[in-house]
Amino acid sequence: MTRALIIIDVQNDFTEGGALAVDGGAAVAGAISALLAAHPNTYGHIFASRDWHDAEGGNNGHFAVDAEPDFVDTWPAHCVADTTGAEYHAALTLPESTVHILKGQGQPGYSIFEGVDGSGEKFGELLIAAGVTHVDLVGLATDFCVRASGLDALEHGQQVRVFTDLIAGVAPESSEQALAELAHAGAVLATSEVVEQA
Ligand code: VGL
């Protein structure tokens, strides 16, 4: 069994004060860092994604251009590549070995499986190359990118745990729905208390 920690989109724009702020986002950043500090050797593989949208062109319908966002399919501009909003939240401390994944270049890109590393290698290929069979999923936002990434991980044959104390969502109802959907598809909903010392 090889387990990886997958950290979804803990970026300034998805935390308090950001363009698409999720309540509790900053707390999630701090809590993920605390988990990693308490368990420095548990995860041999850590992947962290960032939404990395184009400034121009609406990213294939993802940004509301000349219209009001509906906060379901269209969004205010957020996480534009190379801006402060796209940076990891300052409270997120990642180990040197973290593999950084960028996604959403010109696309909605909700799932980390749509992302690539710095050499353009697809996330799914990286998981396979690392022999990962089990993933623990944390980050933002529960009802969109965590949901999509978890469902894709299950489809890719991974055993998935979602740590409900290390996620935060855009809206309570859709977040609850997303967790129900993930559980129905085979994910285990747990808290990070189950993480064992390596
Ligand atoms: C996300 C809304 C729009 C997310 C991304 O990271 O969950 N949510 N784009």
Side-chain angles (χ1 to χ4, degrees):
M1 175 186 85
T2 302
R3 202 183 278 286
L5 180 67
I6 300 184
I7 303 166
I8 303 294
D9 299 6
V10 181
Q11 295 168 268
N12 287 327
D13 270 346
F14 293 132
T15 51
E16 289 82 350
L20 184 36
V22 170
D23 281 345
V28 163
I32 293 169
S33 301
L35 173 75
L36 288 169
H39 301 276
N41 302 312
T42 296
Y43 293 101
H45 302 277
I46 298 171
F47 296 88
S49 69
R50 271 169 296 175
D51 233 6
W52 206 250
H53 294 305
D54 295 347
E56 308 289 333
N59 296 281
N60 208 12
H62 190 54
F63 287 4
V65 179
D66 300 327
E68 287 300 312
D70 67 9
F71 292 89
V72 177
D73 294 310
T74 63
W75 305 92
H78 59 275
C79 298
V80 170
D82 294 313
T83 64
T84 306
E87 287 172 13
Y88 293 118
H89 189 275
L92 184 69
T93 304
L94 296 171
E96 198 72 37
S97 61
T98 303
V99 177
H100 300 278
I101 303 292
L102 299 179
K103 62 184 183 63
Q105 301 96 322
Q107 298 294 329
Y110 291 111
S111 169
I112 190 172
F113 283 83
E114 295 175 53
V116 294
D117 72 1
S119 339
E121 203 74 37
K122 285 188 181 153
F123 173 71
E125 305 289 330
L126 293 169
L127 270 191
I128 291 168
V132 173
T133 53
H134 292 61
V135 300
D136 291 343
L137 194 57
V138 301
L140 309 173
T142 310
D143 30 359
F144 292 91
C145 289
V146 171
R147 172 188 174 275
S149 299
L151 291 175
D152 273 355
L154 289 162
E155 259 189 39
H156 280 72
Q158 294 290 328
Q159 300 286 318
V160 178
R161 298 192 298 195
V162 180
F163 291 156
T164 54
D165 55 327
L166 300 181
I167 55 176
V170 171
E173 205 172 302
S174 47
S175 294
E176 246 175 67
Q177 213 176 320
L179 289 179
E181 212 178 339
L182 283 161
H184 183 74
V188 172
L189 308 183
T191 74
S192 59
E193 279 176 25
V194 301
V195 175
E196 286 169 15
Q197 209 62 255

PDB file of all heavy atoms in Angstrom, residues 5 9 12 24 47 51 61-62 75 84 89 93 96-97 110 117 121 129 153 159 170 175 181 183 192:
ATOM      1  N   LEU A   5      -0.832  12.088   0.157  1.00  0.00           N
ATOM      2  CA  LEU A   5      -1.708  13.183   0.592  1.00  0.00           C
ATOM      3  C   LEU A   5      -1.905  14.108  -0.606  1.00  0.00           C
ATOM      4  O   LEU A   5      -0.937  14.505  -1.263  1.00  0.00           O
ATOM      5  CB  LEU A   5      -1.074  13.960   1.753  1.00  0.00           C
ATOM      6  CG  LEU A   5      -1.916  15.128   2.284  1.00  0.00           C
ATOM      7  CD1 LEU A   5      -3.196  14.626   2.956  1.00  0.00           C
ATOM      8  CD2 LEU A   5      -1.109  15.992   3.255  1.00  0.00           C
ATOM      9  N   ASP A   9      -5.933  23.056  -3.970  1.00  0.00           N
ATOM     10  CA  ASP A   9      -6.230  24.490  -4.150  1.00  0.00           C
ATOM     11  C   ASP A   9      -6.295  25.336  -2.881  1.00  0.00           C
ATOM     12  O   ASP A   9      -7.221  26.154  -2.727  1.00  0.00           O
ATOM     13  CB  ASP A   9      -7.565  24.648  -4.915  1.00  0.00           C
ATOM     14  CG  ASP A   9      -7.549  24.022  -6.294  1.00  0.00           C
ATOM     15  OD1 ASP A   9      -6.553  23.360  -6.639  1.00  0.00           O
ATOM     16  OD2 ASP A   9      -8.544  24.172  -7.031  1.00  0.00           O
ATOM     17  N   ASN A  12      -4.785  31.735  -2.078  1.00  0.00           N
ATOM     18  CA  ASN A  12      -5.312  32.988  -1.517  1.00  0.00           C
ATOM     19  C   ASN A  12      -6.719  33.315  -1.995  1.00  0.00           C
ATOM     20  O   ASN A  12      -7.548  33.767  -1.221  1.00  0.00           O
ATOM     21  CB  ASN A  12      -4.369  34.144  -1.856  1.00  0.00           C
ATOM     22  CG  ASN A  12      -3.095  34.089  -1.042  1.00  0.00           C
ATOM     23  OD1 ASN A  12      -3.106  33.651   0.122  1.00  0.00           O
ATOM     24  ND2 ASN A  12      -1.988  34.510  -1.644  1.00  0.00           N
ATOM     25  N   GLY A  24     -13.644  29.556   6.224  1.00  0.00           N
ATOM     26  CA  GLY A  24     -12.863  28.492   6.864  1.00  0.00           C
ATOM     27  C   GLY A  24     -11.641  28.085   6.057  1.00  0.00           C
ATOM     28  O   GLY A  24     -10.894  27.205   6.475  1.00  0.00           O
ATOM     29  N   PHE A  47       1.070  15.675  -2.971  1.00  0.00           N
ATOM     30  CA  PHE A  47       0.781  16.458  -4.177  1.00  0.00           C
ATOM     31  C   PHE A  47      -0.084  17.646  -3.760  1.00  0.00           C
ATOM     32  O   PHE A  47      -1.015  17.488  -2.976  1.00  0.00           O
ATOM     33  CB  PHE A  47      -0.010  15.617  -5.192  1.00  0.00           C
ATOM     34  CG  PHE A  47       0.737  14.429  -5.722  1.00  0.00           C
ATOM     35  CD1 PHE A  47       0.696  13.202  -5.071  1.00  0.00           C
ATOM     36  CD2 PHE A  47       1.491  14.527  -6.891  1.00  0.00           C
ATOM     37  CE1 PHE A  47       1.383  12.092  -5.555  1.00  0.00           C
ATOM     38  CE2 PHE A  47       2.185  13.425  -7.391  1.00  0.00           C
ATOM     39  CZ  PHE A  47       2.129  12.203  -6.725  1.00  0.00           C
ATOM     40  N   ASP A  51      -5.216  26.045  -8.816  1.00  0.00           N
ATOM     41  CA  ASP A  51      -5.975  26.539  -9.953  1.00  0.00           C
ATOM     42  C   ASP A  51      -5.088  27.599 -10.607  1.00  0.00           C
ATOM     43  O   ASP A  51      -4.518  28.443  -9.899  1.00  0.00           O
ATOM     44  CB  ASP A  51      -7.243  27.196  -9.389  1.00  0.00           C
ATOM     45  CG  ASP A  51      -8.512  26.681 -10.014  1.00  0.00           C
ATOM     46  OD1 ASP A  51      -8.469  25.743 -10.816  1.00  0.00           O
ATOM     47  OD2 ASP A  51      -9.570  27.252  -9.689  1.00  0.00           O
ATOM     48  N   GLY A  61     -15.556  29.429 -20.419  1.00  0.00           N
ATOM     49  CA  GLY A  61     -16.848  29.598 -19.744  1.00  0.00           C
ATOM     50  C   GLY A  61     -16.783  29.583 -18.231  1.00  0.00           C
ATOM     51  O   GLY A  61     -17.807  29.730 -17.561  1.00  0.00           O
ATOM     52  N   HIS A  62     -15.594  29.441 -17.666  1.00  0.00           N
ATOM     53  CA  HIS A  62     -15.464  29.316 -16.210  1.00  0.00           C
ATOM     54  C   HIS A  62     -15.600  30.661 -15.504  1.00  0.00           C
ATOM     55  O   HIS A  62     -16.189  30.748 -14.435  1.00  0.00           O
ATOM     56  CB  HIS A  62     -14.091  28.698 -15.909  1.00  0.00           C
ATOM     57  CG  HIS A  62     -13.891  28.276 -14.492  1.00  0.00           C
ATOM     58  ND1 HIS A  62     -14.746  27.421 -13.832  1.00  0.00           N
ATOM     59  CD2 HIS A  62     -12.912  28.588 -13.589  1.00  0.00           C
ATOM     60  CE1 HIS A  62     -14.294  27.219 -12.599  1.00  0.00           C
ATOM     61  NE2 HIS A  62     -13.197  27.919 -12.428  1.00  0.00           N
ATOM     62  N   TRP A  75     -17.987  31.940 -12.403  1.00  0.00           N
ATOM     63  CA  TRP A  75     -17.354  32.452 -11.192  1.00  0.00           C
ATOM     64  C   TRP A  75     -16.709  33.794 -11.457  1.00  0.00           C
ATOM     65  O   TRP A  75     -16.341  34.091 -12.591  1.00  0.00           O
ATOM     66  CB  TRP A  75     -16.265  31.458 -10.752  1.00  0.00           C
ATOM     67  CG  TRP A  75     -16.787  30.072 -10.573  1.00  0.00           C
ATOM     68  CD1 TRP A  75     -16.817  29.075 -11.505  1.00  0.00           C
ATOM     69  CD2 TRP A  75     -17.412  29.538  -9.400  1.00  0.00           C
ATOM     70  NE1 TRP A  75     -17.409  27.951 -10.965  1.00  0.00           N
ATOM     71  CE2 TRP A  75     -17.777  28.200  -9.680  1.00  0.00           C
ATOM     72  CE3 TRP A  75     -17.680  30.051  -8.125  1.00  0.00           C
ATOM     73  CZ2 TRP A  75     -18.407  27.380  -8.737  1.00  0.00           C
ATOM     74  CZ3 TRP A  75     -18.297  29.233  -7.191  1.00  0.00           C
ATOM     75  CH2 TRP A  75     -18.659  27.917  -7.505  1.00  0.00           C
ATOM     76  N   THR A  84      -1.053  37.074  -7.035  1.00  0.00           N
ATOM     77  CA  THR A  84      -1.066  36.775  -5.602  1.00  0.00           C
ATOM     78  C   THR A  84      -2.234  35.856  -5.248  1.00  0.00           C
ATOM     79  O   THR A  84      -2.115  34.977  -4.399  1.00  0.00           O
ATOM     80  CB  THR A  84      -1.199  38.094  -4.795  1.00  0.00           C
ATOM     81  OG1 THR A  84      -0.157  38.954  -5.223  1.00  0.00           O
ATOM     82  CG2 THR A  84      -1.098  37.860  -3.303  1.00  0.00           C
ATOM     83  N   HIS A  89      -1.934  29.789   0.167  1.00  0.00           N
ATOM     84  CA  HIS A  89      -2.147  30.601   1.362  1.00  0.00           C
ATOM     85  C   HIS A  89      -0.882  30.567   2.229  1.00  0.00           C
ATOM     86  O   HIS A  89      -0.215  29.529   2.325  1.00  0.00           O
ATOM     87  CB  HIS A  89      -3.337  30.041   2.148  1.00  0.00           C
ATOM     88  CG  HIS A  89      -3.757  30.932   3.265  1.00  0.00           C
ATOM     89  ND1 HIS A  89      -3.162  30.880   4.505  1.00  0.00           N
ATOM     90  CD2 HIS A  89      -4.687  31.905   3.332  1.00  0.00           C
ATOM     91  CE1 HIS A  89      -3.722  31.788   5.283  1.00  0.00           C
ATOM     92  NE2 HIS A  89      -4.657  32.425   4.599  1.00  0.00           N
ATOM     93  N   THR A  93       2.202  25.308   4.860  1.00  0.00           N
ATOM     94  CA  THR A  93       3.634  24.992   4.808  1.00  0.00           C
ATOM     95  C   THR A  93       3.795  23.604   4.234  1.00  0.00           C
ATOM     96  O   THR A  93       3.294  22.627   4.804  1.00  0.00           O
ATOM     97  CB  THR A  93       4.238  25.044   6.231  1.00  0.00           C
ATOM     98  OG1 THR A  93       3.964  26.336   6.775  1.00  0.00           O
ATOM     99  CG2 THR A  93       5.734  24.802   6.197  1.00  0.00           C
ATOM    100  N   GLU A  96       9.517  20.150   1.187  1.00  0.00           N
ATOM    101  CA  GLU A  96      10.316  20.305  -0.036  1.00  0.00           C
ATOM    102  C   GLU A  96       9.912  19.300  -1.124  1.00  0.00           C
ATOM    103  O   GLU A  96       9.914  19.592  -2.311  1.00  0.00           O
ATOM    104  CB  GLU A  96      11.792  20.079   0.354  1.00  0.00           C
ATOM    105  CG  GLU A  96      12.800  20.600  -0.629  1.00  0.00           C
ATOM    106  CD  GLU A  96      12.870  22.126  -0.612  1.00  0.00           C
ATOM    107  OE1 GLU A  96      12.746  22.731   0.473  1.00  0.00           O
ATOM    108  OE2 GLU A  96      13.034  22.676  -1.701  1.00  0.00           O
ATOM    109  N   SER A  97       9.578  18.099  -0.679  1.00  0.00           N
ATOM    110  CA  SER A  97       9.316  17.004  -1.620  1.00  0.00           C
ATOM    111  C   SER A  97       7.952  17.097  -2.313  1.00  0.00           C
ATOM    112  O   SER A  97       7.638  16.289  -3.187  1.00  0.00           O
ATOM    113  CB  SER A  97       9.374  15.673  -0.867  1.00  0.00           C
ATOM    114  OG  SER A  97       8.375  15.678   0.147  1.00  0.00           O
ATOM    115  N   TYR A 110     -11.648  21.620 -12.680  1.00  0.00           N
ATOM    116  CA  TYR A 110     -11.981  21.374 -11.270  1.00  0.00           C
ATOM    117  C   TYR A 110     -11.138  20.249 -10.657  1.00  0.00           C
ATOM    118  O   TYR A 110     -10.806  20.290  -9.481  1.00  0.00           O
ATOM    119  CB  TYR A 110     -13.469  21.024 -11.126  1.00  0.00           C
ATOM    120  CG  TYR A 110     -14.411  22.176 -11.396  1.00  0.00           C
ATOM    121  CD1 TYR A 110     -15.228  22.200 -12.524  1.00  0.00           C
ATOM    122  CD2 TYR A 110     -14.505  23.235 -10.498  1.00  0.00           C
ATOM    123  CE1 TYR A 110     -16.108  23.247 -12.763  1.00  0.00           C
ATOM    124  CE2 TYR A 110     -15.378  24.295 -10.733  1.00  0.00           C
ATOM    125  CZ  TYR A 110     -16.175  24.293 -11.865  1.00  0.00           C
ATOM    126  OH  TYR A 110     -17.034  25.333 -12.093  1.00  0.00           O
ATOM    127  N   ASP A 117       2.356  18.471 -13.727  1.00  0.00           N
ATOM    128  CA  ASP A 117       3.452  19.004 -12.910  1.00  0.00           C
ATOM    129  C   ASP A 117       4.298  19.973 -13.741  1.00  0.00           C
ATOM    130  O   ASP A 117       3.949  20.289 -14.892  1.00  0.00           O
ATOM    131  CB  ASP A 117       4.292  17.851 -12.311  1.00  0.00           C
ATOM    132  CG  ASP A 117       5.156  17.143 -13.361  1.00  0.00           C
ATOM    133  OD1 ASP A 117       5.126  17.535 -14.552  1.00  0.00           O
ATOM    134  OD2 ASP A 117       5.873  16.194 -12.984  1.00  0.00           O
ATOM    135  N   GLU A 121       3.900  16.592 -16.989  1.00  0.00           N
ATOM    136  CA  GLU A 121       3.444  15.212 -16.741  1.00  0.00           C
ATOM    137  C   GLU A 121       2.065  15.252 -16.085  1.00  0.00           C
ATOM    138  O   GLU A 121       1.828  16.018 -15.157  1.00  0.00           O
ATOM    139  CB  GLU A 121       4.453  14.546 -15.791  1.00  0.00           C
ATOM    140  CG  GLU A 121       4.486  13.049 -15.845  1.00  0.00           C
ATOM    141  CD  GLU A 121       5.165  12.530 -17.106  1.00  0.00           C
ATOM    142  OE1 GLU A 121       6.151  13.150 -17.564  1.00  0.00           O
ATOM    143  OE2 GLU A 121       4.686  11.522 -17.621  1.00  0.00           O
ATOM    144  N   ALA A 129       3.100   6.237 -11.543  1.00  0.00           N
ATOM    145  CA  ALA A 129       4.567   6.094 -11.493  1.00  0.00           C
ATOM    146  C   ALA A 129       5.057   5.967 -10.052  1.00  0.00           C
ATOM    147  O   ALA A 129       6.029   5.274  -9.773  1.00  0.00           O
ATOM    148  CB  ALA A 129       5.229   7.289 -12.175  1.00  0.00           C
ATOM    149  N   ALA A 153     -10.392  10.294  -8.559  1.00  0.00           N
ATOM    150  CA  ALA A 153      -9.462   9.357  -7.902  1.00  0.00           C
ATOM    151  C   ALA A 153     -10.119   7.984  -7.771  1.00  0.00           C
ATOM    152  O   ALA A 153      -9.478   6.949  -8.020  1.00  0.00           O
ATOM    153  CB  ALA A 153      -9.058   9.898  -6.532  1.00  0.00           C
ATOM    154  N   GLN A 159      -8.014   4.051  -3.519  1.00  0.00           N
ATOM    155  CA  GLN A 159      -8.765   4.031  -2.270  1.00  0.00           C
ATOM    156  C   GLN A 159      -8.706   5.455  -1.729  1.00  0.00           C
ATOM    157  O   GLN A 159      -7.606   5.998  -1.559  1.00  0.00           O
ATOM    158  CB  GLN A 159      -8.108   3.077  -1.267  1.00  0.00           C
ATOM    159  CG  GLN A 159      -8.012   1.637  -1.749  1.00  0.00           C
ATOM    160  CD  GLN A 159      -9.357   0.946  -1.719  1.00  0.00           C
ATOM    161  OE1 GLN A 159     -10.111   1.101  -0.766  1.00  0.00           O
ATOM    162  NE2 GLN A 159      -9.663   0.202  -2.765  1.00  0.00           N
ATOM    163  N   VAL A 170     -17.859  26.023  -0.711  1.00  0.00           N
ATOM    164  CA  VAL A 170     -18.462  27.279  -1.148  1.00  0.00           C
ATOM    165  C   VAL A 170     -19.802  27.468  -0.441  1.00  0.00           C
ATOM    166  O   VAL A 170     -20.106  28.545   0.070  1.00  0.00           O
ATOM    167  CB  VAL A 170     -18.643  27.291  -2.685  1.00  0.00           C
ATOM    168  CG1 VAL A 170     -19.464  28.495  -3.137  1.00  0.00           C
ATOM    169  CG2 VAL A 170     -17.276  27.275  -3.387  1.00  0.00           C
ATOM    170  N   SER A 175     -21.949  21.306  -0.335  1.00  0.00           N
ATOM    171  CA  SER A 175     -20.817  20.601   0.281  1.00  0.00           C
ATOM    172  C   SER A 175     -21.282  19.282   0.878  1.00  0.00           C
ATOM    173  O   SER A 175     -20.638  18.244   0.719  1.00  0.00           O
ATOM    174  CB  SER A 175     -20.162  21.468   1.361  1.00  0.00           C
ATOM    175  OG  SER A 175     -19.574  22.595   0.778  1.00  0.00           O
ATOM    176  N   GLU A 181     -22.098  12.218  -2.138  1.00  0.00           N
ATOM    177  CA  GLU A 181     -21.769  11.656  -3.450  1.00  0.00           C
ATOM    178  C   GLU A 181     -20.433  10.904  -3.404  1.00  0.00           C
ATOM    179  O   GLU A 181     -20.303   9.803  -3.949  1.00  0.00           O
ATOM    180  CB  GLU A 181     -21.670  12.832  -4.425  1.00  0.00           C
ATOM    181  CG  GLU A 181     -22.085  12.551  -5.831  1.00  0.00           C
ATOM    182  CD  GLU A 181     -21.980  13.827  -6.667  1.00  0.00           C
ATOM    183  OE1 GLU A 181     -21.985  14.950  -6.104  1.00  0.00           O
ATOM    184  OE2 GLU A 181     -21.880  13.682  -7.888  1.00  0.00           O
ATOM    185  N   ALA A 183     -19.016   9.600  -0.765  1.00  0.00           N
ATOM    186  CA  ALA A 183     -19.186   8.395   0.055  1.00  0.00           C
ATOM    187  C   ALA A 183     -19.902   7.311  -0.740  1.00  0.00           C
ATOM    188  O   ALA A 183     -19.512   6.140  -0.720  1.00  0.00           O
ATOM    189  CB  ALA A 183     -19.955   8.730   1.329  1.00  0.00           C
ATOM    190  N   SER A 192      -8.798  13.700  10.172  1.00  0.00           N
ATOM    191  CA  SER A 192      -7.348  13.497  10.091  1.00  0.00           C
ATOM    192  C   SER A 192      -6.813  12.822  11.352  1.00  0.00           C
ATOM    193  O   SER A 192      -5.631  12.483  11.405  1.00  0.00           O
ATOM    194  CB  SER A 192      -6.639  14.820   9.842  1.00  0.00           C
ATOM    195  OG  SER A 192      -6.926  15.728  10.884  1.00  0.00           O
TER     196      SER A 192
END
